[in-house]
């Protein structure tokens, strides 16, 4: 092959690669313009959604957004008083919607989690004839109580608490509620699992990071299983970057949305055709860097961020003394 043919071949390959990448990126970006298909899970306008970790942050944002879109909501949490208070707030803001509460600590849970199915049936059944059914489960509870520390400094109970809160509880409550979600006709139920940017494997939050990897794998596996079994339940994983919430008290910016903004974006993605999706457009852009940048650059930036979080936590603790 002479030099001019060689140059032409390389240019063609380069152009084809560029066109393919542009096509892929445009396709990925276009999902942020698609209309949400959430309403297919509430055709009667009487259906119920259960949100775990619902008393604050993104979980409460989901409750507000689901109520505003016509769902009745069951709030799950560990603190009965706070759950009642949040349910009352929802009843005031959305008087036409109904609420219920389920109390269970996600950490150290035992087979008491099996009772949740009965509790849900009681809440929905108590509403009388013509009531809706449970059609949405949002597995939101999670977080890391001790971020920015090395694995070796954690205690046995710290590790277990993070695994319970972010992984075990989600697996157990999904097992318990799946039969209820698949009770209707056709596409009867939706499961949304909240994941995180940290599923890429981030330092100083090793256990939390690993649990979010679990969330992604669990989501993909369950989605394939539900499709194979035709159980009528759609399963989606929601990747999330930084969000201002009760548990992550940072300044809100374009790249750090408020909890309700994130919840709204997440519900807008329902039916977009992807099993794992970045809920919020600007987080998707951030996530792209994890696909294309060298890992050492990303880890350098992440370590800087982790140290800043650690310093802020220490300053807050000092002020409280
Ligand atoms: N915020 C972020 O930047 C961010 C980024 C990526 C992913 N995420 C994910 O988004 C989800 C929500 O995070 P968030 O920042 O909104 O959290 P948050 O503000 O800390 O709220 C957590 C919620 O979970 C409840 N909860 C905590 N521990 C519990 C337990 N042991 N048993 C039952 N309920 C419990 C809390 O209840 P109490 O009111 O009783 O504390 C609260 O309602 C998590 O899965 C997190 O991993 C968040």
């Amino acid at each position: 092959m002479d030099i001019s043919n060689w140059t032409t071949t390389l240019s063609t390959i380069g152009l084809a690669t560029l066109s393919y990448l542009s096509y892929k990126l445009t396709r990925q970006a276009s999902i942020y313009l698609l209309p949400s298909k959430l309403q297919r899970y509430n055709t009667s306008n009487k259906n119920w959604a259960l949100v775990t970790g619902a008393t604050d942050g993104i979980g409460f944002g989901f409750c507000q957004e689901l109520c505003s879109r016509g769902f009745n909501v069951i709030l799950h949490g560990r603190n009965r008083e706070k759950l009642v208070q949040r349910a009352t707030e929802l009843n005031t803001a959305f008087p036409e919607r109904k609420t219920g509460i389920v109390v269970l600590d996600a950490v150290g849970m035992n087979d008491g989690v099996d009772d949740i199915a009965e509790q849900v049936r009681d809440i929905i059944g108590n509403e009388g004839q013509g009531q809706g059914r449970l059609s949405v489960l949002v597995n939101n509870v999670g977080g890391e109580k001790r971020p920015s520390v090395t694995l070796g400094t954690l205690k046995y109970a710290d590790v277990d608490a993070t695994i319970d809160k972010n992984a075990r509880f989600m697996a157990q409550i999904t097992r318990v509620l799946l039969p209820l979600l698949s009770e209707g006709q056709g596409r009867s139920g939706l499961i949304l699992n909240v994941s995180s940017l940290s599923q890429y494997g981030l330092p100083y939050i090793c256990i939390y990071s690993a649990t979010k990897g679990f969330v992604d794998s669990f989501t993909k596996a369950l989605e394939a299983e539900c499709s194979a079994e035709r159980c009528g339940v759609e399963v989606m994983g929601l990747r999330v970057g930084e969000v201002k919430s009760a548990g992550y008290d940072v300044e809100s910016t374009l790249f750090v949305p408020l909890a309700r903004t994130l919840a709204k974006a997440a519900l807008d993605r329902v039916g977009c055709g992807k099993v794992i999706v970045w809920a919020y457009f600007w987080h998707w852009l951030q996530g792209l860097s994890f696909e294309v940048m060298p890992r050492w650059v990303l880890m350098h930036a992440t370590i800087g961020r982790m140290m800043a979080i650690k310093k802020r936590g220490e300053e807050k603790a000092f002020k409280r003394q």
Side-chain angles (χ1 to χ4, degrees):
M1 194 185 283
D2 69 24
I3 189 82
S4 65
N5 277 349
W6 176 239
T7 311
T8 312
T9 310
L10 273 187
S11 308
T12 311
I13 293 172
L15 266 175
T17 309
L18 200 65
S19 312
Y20 176 69
L21 288 178
S22 315
Y23 165 75
K24 267 196 89 172
L25 272 183
T26 314
R27 248 197 102 190
Q28 279 186 35
S30 70
I31 64 163
Y32 295 93
L33 300 172
L34 294 176
S36 172
K37 296 194 176 137
L38 180 71
Q39 285 312 322
R40 62 161 65 137
Y41 301 103
N42 194 18
T43 44
S44 66
N45 220 29
K46 287 179 190 151
N47 278 358
W48 290 75
L50 187 145
V51 180
T52 69
T55 48
D56 245 320
I58 300 170
F60 188 61
F62 269 114
C63 295
Q64 292 171 305
E65 276 302 311
L66 284 159
C67 281
S68 79
R69 296 178 195 213
F71 285 83
N72 300 316
V73 171
I74 299 174
L75 299 90
H76 156 265
R78 58 184 164 175
N79 179 334
R80 181 177 294 278
E81 224 173 283
K82 200 167 167 185
L83 280 163
V84 171
Q85 182 198 322
R86 288 305 206 188
T88 310
E89 284 173 38
L90 290 174
N91 293 335
T92 309
F94 307 97
E96 68 288 7
R97 306 271 51 102
K98 297 174 182 119
T99 56
I101 63 165
V102 167
V103 190
L104 186 68
D105 197 328
V107 174
M109 127 214 80
N110 50 33
D111 59 8
V113 70
D114 283 272
D115 299 340
I116 289 183
E118 207 45 48
Q119 292 179 43
V120 168
R121 283 193 199 281
D122 282 350
I123 291 167
I124 297 176
N126 284 343
E127 299 303 330
Q129 287 303 307
Q131 70 272 21
R133 37 176 297 278
L134 183 75
S135 60
V136 176
L137 167 64
V138 183
N139 280 314
N140 161 78
V141 70
E144 174 55 272
K145 208 170 148 203
R146 296 192 57 199
S148 307
V149 295
T150 56
L151 181 63
T153 57
L154 292 175
K155 303 235 170 2
Y156 179 93
D158 297 327
V159 172
D160 265 20
T162 302
I163 295 173
D164 278 4
K165 190 157 70 162
N166 291 278
R168 275 187 73 229
F169 186 71
M170 181 195 66
Q172 294 290 3
I173 195 169
T174 305
R175 170 185 66 78
V176 168
L177 294 180
L178 195 54
L180 274 72
L181 291 163
S182 54
E183 263 170 9
Q185 304 283 319
R187 262 187 195 272
S188 55
L190 170 71
I191 297 172
L192 298 175
N193 296 327
V194 178
S195 174
S196 162
L197 176 79
S198 63
Q199 65 78 36
Y200 281 110
L202 303 187
Y204 300 100
I205 41 170
C206 281
I207 302 298
Y208 173 72
S209 209
T211 60
K212 292 304 185 186
F214 176 94
V215 174
D216 278 11
S217 297
F218 176 76
T219 301
K220 289 187 235 175
L222 185 63
E223 188 277 332
E225 191 172 298
C226 286
S227 297
E229 291 290 312
R230 297 183 201 280
C231 75
V233 176
E234 179 179 358
V235 187
M236 282 180 78
L238 303 165
R239 286 220 182 120
V240 173
E242 287 178 288
V243 177
K244 181 177 169 57
S245 70
Y248 193 66
D249 187 15
V250 288
E251 198 190 329
S252 174
T253 65
L254 181 64
F255 287 95
V256 185
L258 298 173
R260 187 165 173 184
T261 307
L262 189 282
K264 178 181 182 307
L267 295 178
D268 285 345
R269 302 289 81 78
V270 171
C272 70
K274 289 180 89 75
V275 180
I276 305 280
V277 66
W278 288 94
Y280 178 68
F281 175 78
W282 299 101
H283 285 167
W284 169 68
L285 279 186
Q286 286 179 318
L288 278 181
S289 61
F290 275 78
E291 304 295 341
V292 297
M293 301 264 285
R295 186 164 162 85
W296 68 266
V297 175
L298 294 162
M299 289 308 108
H300 187 74
T302 306
I303 289 164
R305 185 70 175 142
M306 286 297 162
M307 291 307 115
I309 292 170
K310 186 175 184 182
K311 192 161 168 243
R312 205 183 52 235
E314 285 167 354
E315 281 167 3
K316 273 190 182 170
F318 183 71
K319 277 186 199 150
R320 277 199 299 268
Q321 279 171 10

